[in-house]
Amino acid sequence: MTGSVADSGSIPAAVQQEAWQLKTDLSEHNHRYYVLDDPSIPDVEYDRLMRRLVELEQQYPALCAEDSPTQRVGAPPLDAFTSVVHEIPMLSLDNAFSDDEMINFERRIVERLNYREKLEYVAEPKLDGVAVSLLYLQGVLVRGATRGDGRNGEDITQNVRTIASIPLRLRSNRIPDLLEVRGEIYLPKAGFEKLNQQARAEGKKTFVNPRNAAAGSLRQLDSRITATRPLQMAAYSLGRAESWPTGIVEPSTHFDMLQQLKDWGFLVSDKVARVEGVEGCLEYYRQLSGLRDELDYDIDGIVYKVNDLSLQQRLGFVARAPRWAIARKFPAQEVMTKLLDVEFQVGRTGAITPVARLEPVFVGGVTISNATLHNQDEIERLGLKIGDTVVVRRAGDVIPQVANVVTERRPEDTRDIVFPCTCPVCQSPLEKGEGEAVLRCSGGLICAAQRKEAIKHFVSRKAMDVDGVGDKLIEQLVDQQLLNSVDDLYRLELDQLAGMERMAEKSAQNVLDALQASKTTTLPRFLYALGIREVGEATARALAEHFGSLENIRQASQEQLQEVADVGPVVAHFVEEFFQQPHNLAVIDSLQAAGIHWPDIEPADDHLLPLIGQTWVLTGTLESMSRTEGKEKLQQLGAKVAGSVSAKTYSVVAGPGAGSKLAKAESLKLPVLDEAEFLQLLKQYGLHQDG
Ligand code: IVH
């Protein structure tokens, strides 16, 4: 079960045998101790076996393979983490905060599937840690990576190797050649306390909560530090799994898949349960809420997943989250504090947001001194006055909110909150769009605040990703009129930058280098960076993938824009309007003239696509289009189109004249669509119009 002993020519057979036995035994004891929580030997015996193996490996270095239990102590520090691409994106989850939202979740599924039986779900604790992907080739751990933005993560292999509950080699030979296991790395409550105690004893900074501590531990370039942190990992899904061996059945339910992960040596939460229907979900929620404080790890909710994997496939994804799963969050944590003042911030699109300045309070593991008040309507709804005692709520990563005012505690000397009539930054008049609750500065690019925010957005990580251009630098450059719009960034000179506060020549040069590096980008990033209203990352990607080039997006009519999944009339309007403004076009031209460019869009392989992961087969003739066109449309939706039917086929489109492929599909009980049903499907995704 443990690694083969390569280059072992000169090692005596008896030593090879002893080392092999030690590795096997140590892996087994490790699994019993860290995963099953059921050790069968005393610690001193374990230590003795480990010392003996270290000794042998020192004597015969060729014995020491990557999967040896001795390799969990960490490795020499890295200079930086390298980047990893997740071929299957690591998605996030939609949230539900109430029973009603859970009921709606089930209703959406039932309607979409037209499902009449009771749905089965798997309920799992939602661990509050860091999502990771582990890659095993031929059963050996070869790579560990963070989720990052879901598509690009960081390679933290050296760090994950130090985590005792992560198998360095899977506990079976019956495994896919390539296997990607996903899960959460977290710090149990006890480990967190211990870590902080130690930090206090050494006069070091403590961690605010276990999640931050886990993230901080994984961000260490020196894995020997990570090795000292009592991290855990619980597995909850598969990513890629290729070439399943014969003799093992590919699981058809999520629950069986978790069982499989357990058999391979992973820790899977012992609170995982199958539940029936939304009622079962709600019951599980009540039970686990009661147990929350007793668990030895932090959870921030419960994840429910449709158990049947073929139903999951049919449900697919929307933007960044699957339709077949949801995270039911525990109620937000709330505390009382005092509203000291209200300030008005001007956002990138001119929106004026009132921000509450609060007496700092500790809630949900962090100190909060600001909260958004959204808009005037919200302030009126709350009946809020400066000086009031308020309840502040924080749920997960969401921006803290003022939930309500404790009127019984209102002091005599409160002040009303007065909205400004003009922009607090550029003094342009404020305006309110029809049906909008938000006041906006009408100054556009005249307004320094809007310019600053637009530039901050442009350089941000998910946009052009320009390292070293921080908020403070942008503010200074705008104030000194060295930056008026984003294209000015690429005209900055070394001495201008070096003249800024806290900017040595070296950092100024770094900024120029980062700007230079940012010139090679991707169309989705560039589109997102432009800061078109309502065009977030997912929409930018969808637009780029649909139209293929900036030129096509520039020319697209509102109707054409709305052909993109997730683009409705509002987004289409903002996109069209953006590209009609001469000053926007001038900035884009100037950016391209400065050398900003991107490669052609990769062929569609994206989680935005509803049929991703599905293999379709077209057979027979179609009346309304050629088979090639039909194939292209399926591919546009993310499906693979194959020439023959097998058990891996997801669905078959059969026109008149279909023969053996149709017969095979029927014998395999695969769903078969006739042309009308196929057109209906295309229509649903905006790829077909009636008539
Ligand atoms: S499933 C497509 N299961 O929650 C499914 N996620 O908001 C995606 N998480 O990034 C994840 N416990 O870090 C799943 N049992 C669980 C989880 C879990 C914690 C985290 C995970 C993910 C985030 C999604």
Side-chain angles (χ1 to χ4, degrees):
M1 273 234 328
T2 33
S4 61
V5 200
D7 302 328
S8 50
S10 57
I11 305 174
V15 172
Q16 287 188 44
Q17 172 59 31
E18 185 187 356
W20 182 86
Q21 194 61 53
L22 283 166
K23 283 179 179 182
T24 310
D25 292 351
L26 282 164
S27 299
E28 183 60 28
H29 293 310
N30 191 70
H31 180 250
R32 291 195 69 122
Y33 188 92
Y34 289 102
V35 178
L36 305 179
D37 196 13
D38 179 24
S40 62
I41 56 166
D43 291 3
V44 284
E45 176 60 10
Y46 181 88
D47 293 343
R48 193 188 64 76
L49 297 174
M50 184 65 95
R51 270 198 310 276
R52 176 65 185 148
L53 182 58
V54 170
E55 200 175 275
L56 289 180
E57 286 181 350
Q58 275 167 355
Q59 212 174 340
Y60 302 97
L63 285 173
C64 180
E66 278 188 339
D67 62 341
S68 168
T70 58
Q71 298 305 296
R72 292 195 186 270
V73 289
L78 303 169
D79 293 329
F81 294 119
T82 51
S83 168
V84 162
V85 177
H86 299 299
E87 290 204 16
I88 302 178
M90 290 182 78
L91 304 172
S92 59
L93 293 167
D94 275 341
N95 293 327
F97 290 95
S98 65
D99 287 1
D100 280 349
E101 286 177 28
M102 283 302 301
I103 292 167
N104 287 338
F105 163 70
E106 169 147 278
R107 180 174 328 121
R108 286 194 298 273
I109 293 181
V110 168
E111 279 169 10
R112 197 166 186 98
L113 295 176
N114 199 5
Y115 202 71
R116 288 191 187 81
E117 287 140 66
K118 211 157 191 76
L119 274 164
E120 189 174 61
Y121 302 93
V122 173
E124 304 169 5
K126 186 167 187 295
L127 294 155
D128 207 6
V130 178
V132 283
S133 144
L134 304 175
L135 188 66
Y136 291 83
L137 292 181
Q138 258 80 43
V140 178
L141 175 66
V142 295
R143 195 193 74 190
T146 59
R147 171 171 184 267
D149 62 5
R151 304 192 132 233
N152 298 289
E154 283 179 332
D155 187 323
I156 52 162
T157 311
Q158 297 208 3
N159 292 346
V160 300
R161 278 218 176 96
T162 67
I163 300 174
S165 52
I166 293 180
L168 297 176
R169 171 180 284 270
L170 301 178
R171 291 170 50 79
S172 165
N173 292 324
R174 285 208 225 116
I175 36 171
D177 290 346
L178 181 152
L179 181 74
E180 184 197 354
V181 174
R182 293 177 174 180
E184 197 85 351
I185 292 182
Y186 61 97
L187 199 60
K189 290 176 190 165
F192 170 69
E193 292 306 333
K194 212 170 94 192
L195 199 61
N196 270 353
Q197 256 170 27
Q198 210 177 318
R200 274 189 291 271
E202 292 168 13
K204 292 193 189 143
K205 251 181 93 178
T206 53
F207 290 103
V208 286
N209 57 35
R211 202 236 321 256
N212 286 9
S217 303
L218 289 176
R219 227 179 285 121
Q220 296 292 335
L221 289 167
D222 186 344
S223 54
R224 290 169 302 195
I225 299 178
T226 315
T228 66
R229 308 277 167 91
L231 295 164
Q232 273 282 22
M233 137 115 186
Y236 54 62
S237 74
L238 282 189
R240 294 164 69 196
E242 288 163 21
S243 317
W244 289 77
T246 45
I248 178 170
V249 193
E250 203 175 321
S252 63
T253 65
H254 181 73
F255 193 80
D256 289 350
M257 191 265 292
L258 291 179
Q259 187 54 50
Q260 184 69 261
L261 288 173
K262 261 196 234 175
D263 295 345
W264 285 334
F266 290 92
L267 177 87
V268 172
S269 166
D270 62 352
K271 295 286 174 290
V272 167
R274 273 174 295 196
V275 296
E276 289 249 312
V278 70
E279 308 78 22
C281 296
L282 300 183
E283 178 53 30
Y284 181 92
Y285 174 83
R286 278 185 278 279
Q287 284 181 10
L288 205 71
S289 303
L291 290 177
R292 191 177 174 193
D293 291 339
E294 287 166 33
L295 299 176
D296 57 10
Y297 43 82
D298 262 3
I299 61 174
D300 58 348
I302 293 160
V303 183
Y304 299 102
K305 301 171 182 173
V306 169
N307 192 21
D308 185 328
L309 296 182
S310 67
L311 295 183
Q312 286 191 4
Q313 269 227 332
R314 278 175 59 195
L315 286 162
F317 304 90
V318 69
R320 261 171 296 174
R323 289 199 185 86
W324 43 262
I326 198 154
R328 170 77 192 265
K329 291 295 194 77
F330 289 132
Q333 283 149 301
E334 297 183 338
V335 288
M336 281 201 285
T337 185
K338 195 171 160 191
L339 177 65
L340 301 176
D341 201 0
V342 174
E343 286 171 18
F344 296 90
Q345 279 181 354
V346 188
R348 179 160 58 83
T349 59
I352 308 287
T353 310
V355 178
R357 300 281 173 233
L358 305 164
E359 215 163 73
V361 272
F362 196 68
V363 47
V366 293
T367 302
I368 285 174
S369 49
N370 304 316
T372 174
L373 292 168
H374 300 290
N375 53 48
Q376 205 157 6
D377 292 357
E378 175 73 0
I379 292 180
E380 277 164 25
R381 190 185 69 77
L382 292 165
L384 187 63
K385 289 174 189 284
I386 295 168
D388 267 336
T389 294
V390 292
V391 174
V392 178
R393 174 186 296 161
R394 182 177 171 270
D397 274 341
V398 185
I399 308 171
Q401 317 268 335
V402 172
N404 54 277
V405 176
V406 190
T407 33
E408 308 84 74
R409 296 208 181 182
R410 175 164 285 170
E412 297 276 299
D413 57 348
T414 53
R415 283 184 288 132
D416 284 342
I417 298 165
V418 184
F419 259 72
C421 314
T422 57
C423 171
V425 174
C426 73
Q427 278 72 48
S428 299
L430 300 184
E431 53 193 26
K432 205 178 240 189
E434 215 178 297
E436 273 200 322
V438 184
L439 272 172
R440 281 177 205 280
C441 161
S442 61
L445 293 177
I446 297 168
C447 178
Q450 290 189 46
R451 269 185 286 139
K452 286 175 183 171
E453 293 309 312
I455 298 167
K456 288 178 195 170
H457 172 77
F458 186 83
V459 300
S460 64
R461 199 167 56 82
K462 292 176 178 170
M464 300 298 284
D465 193 17
V466 189
D467 245 6
V469 182
D471 292 0
K472 287 277 170 305
L473 180 62
I474 292 172
E475 283 163 19
Q476 292 179 61
L477 290 165
V478 172
D479 290 340
Q480 302 196 16
Q481 278 155 28
L482 291 170
L483 266 185
N484 286 308
S485 63
V486 292
D487 52 325
D488 287 344
L489 281 166
Y490 296 93
R491 282 188 276 274
L492 287 171
E493 287 170 11
L494 189 68
D495 53 339
Q496 294 176 326
L497 284 165
M500 296 296 125
E501 263 172 52
R502 277 183 282 158
M503 263 280 158
E505 186 151 326
K506 179 148 187 307
S507 6
Q509 186 58 48
N510 288 346
V511 167
L512 290 183
D513 293 346
L515 282 163
Q516 183 62 29
S518 73
K519 288 182 182 172
T520 305
T521 185
T522 64
L523 180 53
R525 276 179 178 275
F526 183 74
L527 262 184
Y528 172 66
L530 291 174
I532 306 168
R533 266 181 75 184
E534 300 294 330
V535 177
E537 259 184 293
T539 309
R541 191 183 299 284
L543 285 166
E545 265 155 19
H546 183 88
F547 290 101
S549 74
L550 184 64
E551 199 44 39
N552 289 344
I553 302 172
R554 252 165 117 152
Q555 307 292 345
S557 65
Q558 288 205 30
E559 291 71 43
Q560 288 167 329
L561 288 165
Q562 287 189 52
E563 285 170 16
V564 179
D566 289 344
V567 172
V570 176
V571 180
H573 163 78
F574 285 131
V575 174
E576 192 191 54
E577 188 182 63
F578 183 90
F579 288 109
Q580 277 169 356
Q581 311 257 346
H583 63 261
N584 290 335
L585 298 180
V587 168
I588 293 175
D589 288 343
S590 157
L591 286 168
Q592 289 188 289
I596 292 189
H597 63 281
W598 47 84
D600 291 341
I601 292 285
E602 293 165 26
D605 169 24
D606 196 284
H607 58 290
L608 292 167
L609 306 172
L611 308 188
I612 197 90
Q614 303 177 0
T615 304
W616 287 63
V617 173
L618 282 156
T619 176
T621 49
L622 297 176
E623 266 172 33
S624 54
M625 67 183 81
S626 68
R627 269 225 303 265
T628 313
E629 276 175 278
K631 176 174 170 180
E632 284 167 2
K633 295 203 179 210
L634 284 167
Q635 286 169 337
Q636 277 179 49
L637 294 174
K640 266 196 219 156
V641 181
S644 62
V645 175
S646 75
K648 292 229 155 71
T649 309
Y650 176 77
S651 189
V652 173
V653 178
S660 63
K661 291 183 195 172
L662 176 59
K664 175 127 190 234
E666 280 166 352
S667 77
L668 288 169
K669 299 206 171 53
L670 297 174
V672 177
L673 274 64
D674 63 18
E675 183 162 2
E677 289 167 322
F678 178 50
L679 293 179
Q680 187 58 37
L681 176 98
L682 295 180
K683 194 172 148 208
Q684 184 191 337
Y685 293 117
L687 288 185
H688 177 73
Q689 264 136 25
D690 285 327

